[in-house]
Amino acid sequence: MNIPIKLFISGIMIMSLFGCNNKDISATADEITARQPINAETATFAGGCFWCMEAPYEKINGVIDVVSGYTGGQTENPTYEQVSSGKSGHLEAIQISYDPGKISYEKLLDIFWQQIDPTDGGGSFVDRGPQYRSAIFYHTDEQKQIAEKSKTHIGTTNRYDKLIATEIIKYDKFYPAEEYHQDYSQKNPIRYKFYRHGSGRDQYLKKIWGSEAKNVSSEREKDYSKPADSVIKERLTPLQYAVTQKDKTEPPFNNEYWDNKKEGIYVDIVSGEPLFSSTDKFRSGTGWPSFTQPIAQQALIEKSDNALFMKRTEVRSKKADSHLGHVFDDGPIPTGLRYCINSASLRFIPKADLEKKGYGEYVKLFE
């Protein structure tokens, strides 16, 4: 697929992508703390992806607020891109404001250990890199003593067969992350669920902690396996087969979904696995369906494609290994990406049909 000229979108479209803000993330960490009740105390933990660390604490009695952000490095006011590069020195972390009269620091630590793999010093589950290390940032000498005692205790249990790698570090500064990272599990429940499951976090925690683990998903992963080639040939049109199985490309502006404006989700034509949502579809001018992001990143596989005398990144479905299209870095915010996908690789499920077609869990995307 060809690469179009740089895309521009209006301010109204940008606002619709982000939705309504429910946290003043332009405030500093000190300003956020100052707005809390006078008896509130602060705890700061890092345990990999802050989306997955934030959610378990948000409904705990005694927790006043949870903010996703960055800490532990030297770069002032870092961006997500700077932290993701691993060069800022910061870790993805959460800062918890809590009422010590309702919940203790020890209890917060108990929940912390039940969210992470404390033996992995190289990242967190599928997220690899120094920014995903686990750490406890203590604010007072008392917190340090409690954290060290808690770490020693967790290392003496029979749950782990390796040494505890979680660091205990003196707190310095905390920088709130961008607004779209805040309360991610609430604002993007479907994507959060699939991201969390795809990361392997819940499976690991269930294995280690069993029924004690907090926020462990018990939902069974649906089977979107690839049928036999003879079945695929029988089900698909010649074009659909050529695109998904032979890596061909359909013509632009002459395909089923390039201009589809209806609400719904797009699934793999071969397996039925959910791939993209109309909420992330945008008009790219290329003549192919274009999306800023998939429903769940774990549903896709990216491969280098050096055909046609250019270097591109091919996108395939994970379960059925269907060729979908390519992803480029010239898309609109919030991701800056453009998933340029063949209509022939997709089947569209309208919003009104999600329940009866077995995709009822995705109705929340459109609420």
Side-chain angles (χ1 to χ4, degrees), residues 92-129:
E92 285 197 12
I94 57 169
Q95 190 156 95
I96 304 167
S97 176
Y98 67 100
D99 182 347
K102 295 181 178 180
I103 188 169
S104 66
Y105 187 66
E106 289 91 340
K107 182 60 178 177
L108 295 176
L109 282 170
D110 288 344
I111 298 172
F112 167 75
W113 294 118
Q114 293 180 28
Q115 308 309 314
I116 68 170
D117 175 1
T119 68
D120 189 350
S124 175
F125 307 101
V126 298
D127 296 317
R128 313 307 300 167

Side-chain angles (χ1 to χ4, degrees), residues 212-256:
E212 297 178 60
K214 308 292 183 183
N215 201 46
V216 173
S217 172
S218 61
E219 294 189 30
R220 181 178 62 86
E221 186 177 7
K222 293 183 178 178
D223 180 18
Y224 295 115
S225 57
K226 182 178 182 177
D229 187 66
S230 58
V231 176
I232 296 175
K233 280 185 176 180
E234 183 178 345
R235 290 180 181 176
L236 303 187
T237 67
L239 176 61
Q240 290 169 340
Y241 184 86
V243 170
T244 60
Q245 307 304 303
K246 301 299 181 181
D247 305 342
K248 302 301 182 182
T249 300
E250 68 192 5
F253 302 103
N254 186 23
N255 55 76
E256 191 170 5

Side-chain angles (χ1 to χ4, degrees), residues 139-165:
H139 291 251
T140 65
D141 288 340
E142 182 183 12
Q143 282 192 355
K144 180 182 180 182
Q145 294 173 5
I146 295 172
E148 289 175 340
K149 182 179 179 180
S150 180
K151 178 178 176 178
T152 298
H153 171 72
I154 206 74
T156 60
T157 66
N158 295 323
R159 300 182 191 276
Y160 307 104
D161 57 5
K162 293 188 290 185
L163 295 176
I164 304 302

Side-chain angles (χ1 to χ4, degrees), residues 348-360:
F348 179 67
I349 312 295
K351 173 185 173 183
D353 295 340
L354 290 174
E355 289 283 359
K356 66 181 181 181
K357 296 289 187 181
Y359 298 95

